[in-house]
Amino acid sequence: MHELTRELFVKNDSKIVMLVADGLGGLPLEPGGKTELETAHTPHLDALAKKGVLGASIPVLPGITPGSGPGHLGLFGYDPLKYVIGRGALEATGIGFELGPNDVAVRGNYCALDARGNISDRRAGRIASEESAPLADVLATVKIPGVEVFVRPVKEHRFVVVFRGEGLGGHVHDTDPQKTGVPPLDPVAADAASTKTADVAGEFIRRATQLLARQTKANGLTLRGFAAKPDLPSYEEVYGLRAAAIAVYPMYKGLARLVGMQIVGSAQTLDQQIDVLSENWSKFDFFFLHFKYTDSTGEDGAFQNKVKRIEELDAVVPRVTALNPTVLIVTGDHSTPSLLKSHSWHPVPTLLYSACCRSDDCQSFCEREAVHGGLGQFEAKYLMPLALANAGRLGKYGA
Amino acid sequence: MHELTRELFVKNDSKIVMLVADGLGGLPLEPGGKTELETAHTPHLDALAKKGVLGASIPVLPGITPGSGPGHLGLFGYDPLKYVIGRGALEATGIGFELGPNDVAVRGNYCALDARGNISDRRAGRIASEESAPLADVLATVKIPGVEVFVRPVKEHRFVVVFRGEGLGGHVHDTDPQKTGVPPLDPVAADAASTKTADVAGEFIRRATQLLARQTKANGLTLRGFAAKPDLPSYEEVYGLRAAAIAVYPMYKGLARLVGMQIVGSAQTLDQQIDVLSENWSKFDFFFLHFKYTDSTGEDGAFQNKVKRIEELDAVVPRVTALNPTVLIVTGDHSTPSLLKSHSWHPVPTLLYSACCRSDDCQSFCEREAVHGGLGQFEAKYLMPLALANAGRLGKYGA
């Protein structure tokens, strides 16, 4: 796909806005009832649906429920089965740690060790964040010759370590034995290029364990999900787009950064996000705007709150259309039905408006209409080429 | 796909029923008329269609008409372009011969040889089954050192030979020269691993030809479609499912056995099949129930009979729903329009019901509604991941 877009993209003055309502798709609470989106009063999205074209986006493949990583990679046009963001790299991304090309990120867990050095609790008694956060500062004092070490707290028993240095491969086996009563495993390289990483990790564990020795709950640690920075080509390279990301949460800023988007503004509310969009309108070709709360309310099983969040999104649509984007897309990275309180596999209602989008019969923006919209059901990775085409940014393939 | 399901499947107490009406899809006899399914009175399927979600399943690829093998492999979630069941193996499967890992199955044809040993009739004058069946018993007396030989009659001039032994590769060229006036070809190995198979087949042909020498019609034979047992991963391995097959005809039992399903019961009627389903309800996670007569009536061009068979299927639906399956699927392995008297490429109306299936606007179970149902048009191989997802049996892909 990127071979095609790389070859065919052209540059012009068009503006593309991709409004991602995280976890947008839903389910009715009762069979035959209405989904959150169908329940919400969304006059502006419905007006756009009439003028635009709808479709149902399949995040990965039918039946496959994506995490945030693969969900967004799909929307960004990166095949989520080809491009995989390792666990450690995603964890680092999620807390806003900007990975560099010489970094290996690892997810750490504090654990409790007994007198013989065997794990007695794999999660250090689910130690509270307030207790565990200071430990990251302690571990950050570990020095290893020739390598920079960064340690950042996550929630409860979790932390992130990043090793930065030359020649650090990303393939090292987990040290978590996945059971208690045995000691943590030694880090073992899974390929020749990762021998140095395994050595560095082993040294880190030795020094860190000494520093934790006097802790009562968390006197040990395990390391999981070793991962180098994923090697994703940039938006500039594959689409010829100067892309900006306007997100509140670190995870989505991080994912956008991985594909070369520039993080702009420091908005905390949706209205502020639209302010940032306006302020940066002239500087970029593409804007990814991420709205988190349609997902978090779905995860909470809070149907009515999700409805309200969708209405909140609808309310800012006129401010976006007032900017007169060449292409406006409204979609989600996956469904998060309140009924399931989790991400799901259901296709995501997707709306595309441009002056040449070839409208369909759909009268409102919702799941029920989207499945027979003019875009049909399509894998999310095809949304970016559709956006480029509607923006006049893709030339002809073949003569 | 199976890499994904292998990684993501989880086990729970859900029950999945896949009701396969062979050759279900049809065509109207007159342009603008109704198909067999649209003509049939199907109140129970229509009620399920209202609560569930419809789609149109493409057995292999658009325009491609599948045989029973690829048709079912698709439904079972095995890419029918990747997994190929060799002709001999399918023929053996079709007559209920259970292939083992050391078997090579071959389709045999009796032929007529003239005094010089040249083929004068490639099908032995289409010898009647009553005449040809006893010949299989004669050929079964052939002994070859170090190899077991099985010979089974098929219809008319056809039979199946299975060679069982160590080191028998499945790649040997056909001995049928595809014309008369020349002798049968010698079996020639197509790869080094099949040299022994070619030698064994050559020896079998010599001894069999001696035994047939006094026959008038069928005094020779040719061998075609050498094939080892196809190497298909099992349902247990790729989906974590204990799967049962409830089928009347040997072909479908055989296909199910190839993917590791257990054949249960010895039902001869649809009602008996449902009895077997009930009796085995607690022992399996997944049930494949095969109904043959929607295909055979289609093949006969008997439009009204196919309508009746569909109504017969509809009548047992309440007995299935009374078992309260977590996921109920009604589909076919391909279309068999009475108009064409053959399998066809047309997408197959497919119905999926679960408590979280996200219903669509479809009001009845038929081709016309299925094409704009909530499952869209999809390759049959995606039906199993959808079934697993709806059963809560697939975890999240990526974080």
Side-chain angles (χ1 to χ4, degrees), chain A residues 26 65 67-70 80 346-347 368 377, chain B residues 356 358 361 374 376 389 396-399:
Chain A
T65 296
S68 299
H346 300 89
R368 209 166 279 263
Q377 301 216 14
Chain B
C356 57
R358 192 192 270 167
D361 285 333
K396 191 159 66 174
Y397 171 64

Side-chain angles (χ1 to χ4, degrees), chain A residues 25-27 60-70 80-81 84 87 90 335 340 343 345-347 367-368 371-372 377, chain B residues 1 4-5 8 51 353 355-361 372-378 382 385-386 389-390 394-399:
Chain A
L27 280 175
V60 180
L61 284 177
I64 304 301
T65 296
S68 299
L81 293 172
V84 175
R87 188 87 217 176
L90 193 74
S335 294
L340 300 181
H343 293 195
W345 64 93
H346 300 89
E367 289 85 349
R368 209 166 279 263
V371 292
H372 49 78
Q377 301 216 14
Chain B
M1 170 55 69
L4 270 179
T5 59
L8 301 178
K51 297 199 298 178
Y353 173 72
C356 57
C357 68
R358 192 192 270 167
S359 193
D360 51 31
D361 285 333
H372 51 77
L375 296 177
Q377 300 215 15
F378 60 95
Y382 295 122
L386 283 166
N390 276 275
L394 273 188
K396 191 159 66 174
Y397 171 64

Side-chain angles (χ1 to χ4, degrees), chain B residues 30-273:
Chain B
E30 304 282 329
K34 289 181 173 180
T35 67
E36 297 90 330
L37 184 56
E38 286 159 5
T39 304
H41 178 61
T42 54
H44 304 111
L45 288 168
D46 293 346
L48 264 183
K50 283 194 187 75
K51 297 199 298 178
V53 60
L54 298 194
S57 153
I58 297 168
V60 180
L61 284 177
I64 304 302
T65 297
S68 298
H72 278 83
L73 285 189
L75 289 180
F76 295 162
Y78 296 72
D79 187 334
L81 293 172
K82 175 177 172 193
Y83 294 101
V84 175
I85 305 175
R87 189 82 219 175
L90 192 74
E91 198 85 7
T93 298
I95 58 165
F97 190 96
E98 192 169 347
L99 290 173
N102 293 322
D103 291 357
V104 171
V106 195
R107 178 175 156 171
N109 279 1
Y110 297 110
C111 64
L113 301 176
D114 66 18
R116 277 181 289 177
N118 291 333
I119 297 175
S120 56
D121 189 316
R122 288 179 53 241
R123 295 182 187 83
R126 288 205 181 266
I127 185 171
S129 301
E130 302 78 56
E131 269 185 276
S132 63
L135 298 180
D137 294 334
V138 173
L139 297 193
T141 65
V142 170
K143 301 277 179 242
I144 298 174
V147 176
E148 274 188 277
V149 179
F150 304 87
V151 183
R152 296 279 188 275
V154 189
K155 259 173 47 175
E156 298 168 351
H157 58 282
R158 304 178 190 90
F159 61 96
V160 166
V161 194
V162 176
F163 302 117
R164 178 171 295 169
E166 297 288 334
L168 296 178
H171 298 107
V172 175
H173 294 293
D174 293 353
T175 74
D176 183 347
Q178 299 281 345
K179 55 185 175 187
T180 56
V182 295
L185 303 170
D186 284 326
V188 174
D191 61 23
S194 304
T195 314
K196 183 176 168 189
T197 315
D199 291 345
V200 165
E203 187 58 26
F204 174 79
I205 292 168
R206 270 186 295 282
R207 299 189 186 197
T209 309
Q210 286 166 10
L211 291 173
L212 295 174
R214 261 161 310 204
Q215 294 292 325
T216 46
K217 276 189 190 164
N219 63 345
L221 70 154
T222 57
L223 298 181
R224 299 166 67 179
F226 284 76
K229 184 187 180 186
D231 192 17
L232 298 165
S234 75
Y235 254 50
E236 179 75 44
E237 194 218 322
V238 295
Y239 306 134
L241 291 173
R242 297 169 302 163
I246 306 170
V248 174
Y249 284 75
M251 172 67 85
Y252 312 98
K253 293 181 184 171
L255 288 167
R257 207 183 275 119
L258 289 177
V259 296
M261 293 192 201
Q262 192 176 319
I263 314 304
V264 293
S266 53
Q268 293 300 309
T269 67
L270 187 52
D271 261 314
Q272 289 169 357
Q273 287 180 282

